[in-house]
Amino acid sequence: MAIGSEIEWTEATWNPTSGCTKISPGCKNCYAETLTKRLKAMGQQKYKKGFQYVEHPSDINLPLTWKKPKKIFVNSMSDLFHENSIFEFTGKCFATMIQADRHDYQILTKRPKRMAEFSEIFFEYFGHKIPNFMWMGTSIENKQYASRIKDLRKVKCHTRFISFEPLIGSVGKVNLKGIDWAIIGGESGHHYREVKKEWIEEIIDQCKEQEVPVFFKQWGGFRPKSGGRTINRRKYSEYPEINKRNSLKNINFDENAFAEMCLKHEVQKRKQNPPISSK
């Protein structure tokens, strides 16, 4: 059964992993952590380990069962590129997306360096960049983390986006070259940090100047919809224009071969970055 979503810029969520680790100020009031506690208390087995990062093989094929095309937010409750993620598992998730190409996938991470690392393996295995119906994105909450844009540009893919959410400070001047979409949103929840209008406007203005479609999700507040999503008497609900292409549909995904490639990658990485001796 499809899992619907109240998130304005998507239509369904798919969580082949759950749990995460806080790595920057935007994580402070993580809604996924709060919801995970609630789901665990309700006795849902998927969340029995709380917010610990867990991969769920039983959920890998869910998009294949959803017949109607959807925009699917991948991992609203986690991060597919968490530092404890296993690339062999991630590859299986991408193999599902390749097969269920009737959907558009919105894959968001706070770890674009690791996303770029995975994309190298993907490219080596398939001989193609990540297809354009898989939108690869990163979150940026203020100017201290704007460098994630540079890391996102290193991802071997066709479609990239940025989620400026929760926006808790000015992002300053940003170079949006190679970026196909931007989401903007204030924080919500009991301990939300108020967003300033000028922070939103500076992003919208730069998106206009650099011809990047923009989606203003919310002002935020105690509840996500508390402040609405209108700014200067206008709603921004733009999406990237994608002429869907899938040159990988007929390529057989060999789990063992992909796993061997991941192992080879790890060996090479260790050779390039040997552990520092404690002696």
Side-chain angles (χ1 to χ4, degrees):
M1 185 173 71
I3 304 174
S5 176
E6 294 185 359
I7 300 172
E8 287 80 358
W9 45 263
T10 197
E11 295 168 332
T13 58
W14 172 39
N15 287 285
T17 73
S18 60
C20 199
T21 306
K22 296 180 180 182
I23 60 170
S24 64
C27 303
K28 181 180 180 181
N29 301 318
C30 179
Y31 77 90
E33 182 181 31
T34 301
L35 182 54
T36 293
K37 291 177 181 178
R38 192 181 311 158
L39 294 171
K40 180 182 179 181
M42 291 168 61
Q44 291 203 17
Q45 286 299 300
K46 183 172 181 176
Y47 300 98
K48 65 182 180 180
K49 292 188 177 181
F51 210 49
Q52 177 182 332
Y53 179 82
V54 180
E55 296 173 337
H56 301 281
S58 61
D59 287 347
I60 284 179
N61 293 324
L62 271 178
L64 291 167
T65 69
W66 301 343
K67 303 305 179 184
K68 183 180 178 181
K70 301 176 181 297
K71 289 184 178 69
I72 300 175
F73 178 16
V74 182
N75 272 6
S76 61
M77 299 293 289
S78 184
D79 190 330
L80 196 59
F81 297 99
H82 187 272
E83 49 270 18
N84 292 337
S85 64
I86 300 171
F87 280 164
E88 291 93 319
F89 180 86
T90 309
K92 293 177 185 178
C93 295
F94 274 77
T96 292
M97 291 185 250
I98 290 170
Q99 292 304 308
D101 61 354
R102 55 188 169 276
H103 308 302
D104 288 313
Y105 299 90
Q106 299 155 315
I107 306 156
L108 186 61
T109 184
K110 280 188 171 66
R111 300 160 173 86
K113 287 183 179 179
R114 189 155 171 79
M115 178 184 271
E117 185 180 348
F118 173 80
S119 75
E120 294 282 351
I121 300 173
F122 184 100
F123 184 79
E124 184 178 351
Y125 181 84
F126 287 103
H128 293 267
K129 294 180 181 179
I130 294 170
N132 64 352
F133 59 92
M134 301 178 192
W135 307 1
M136 310 297 283
T138 193
S139 299
I140 294 170
E141 59 262 49
N142 57 31
K143 67 175 62 177
Q144 281 70 39
Y145 293 89
S147 61
R148 288 176 181 163
I149 301 176
K150 293 181 181 179
D151 296 326
L152 182 63
R153 270 195 284 267
K154 295 176 183 177
V155 177
K156 291 184 179 298
C157 65
H158 292 280
T159 309
R160 299 179 182 86
F161 73 99
I162 299 169
S163 175
F164 294 101
E165 185 185 14
L167 189 61
I168 57 173
S170 166
V171 299
K173 187 174 181 179
V174 290
N175 179 0
L176 299 175
K177 182 179 180 181
I179 305 302
D180 301 286
W181 188 39
I183 303 165
I184 308 171
E187 192 169 46
S188 60
H190 289 75
H191 306 290
Y192 76 94
R193 290 161 284 184
E194 191 169 352
V195 67
K196 292 186 179 180
K197 184 179 181 182
E198 56 263 33
W199 300 344
I200 301 169
E201 289 177 327
E202 74 175 352
I203 298 173
I204 291 175
D205 289 344
Q206 291 182 85
C207 285
K208 288 180 179 178
E209 292 169 3
Q210 301 181 56
E211 300 182 341
V212 175
V214 61
F215 193 110
F216 176 48
K217 177 190 169 187
Q218 64 183 41
W219 284 93
F222 187 75
R223 293 182 176 83
K225 301 183 188 297
S226 294
R229 49 184 304 263
T230 300
I231 181 168
N232 297 329
R233 294 176 293 180
R234 177 178 172 181
K235 288 184 178 179
Y236 289 85
S237 304
E238 300 166 355
Y239 286 94
E241 293 184 10
I242 304 295
N243 294 318
K244 191 172 291 187
R245 301 189 308 276
N246 185 4
S247 56
L248 308 180
K249 186 71 174 279
N250 296 320
I251 296 178
N252 179 52
F253 179 71
D254 185 323
E255 294 182 11
N256 292 327
F258 191 83
E260 287 180 10
M261 189 166 287
C262 290
L263 179 59
K264 176 183 174 184
H265 171 80
E266 284 299 318
V267 171
Q268 290 176 338
K269 188 168 69 169
R270 287 170 190 164
K271 287 181 178 179
Q272 292 171 358
N273 302 288
I276 299 174
S277 175
S278 58
K279 294 181 180 180

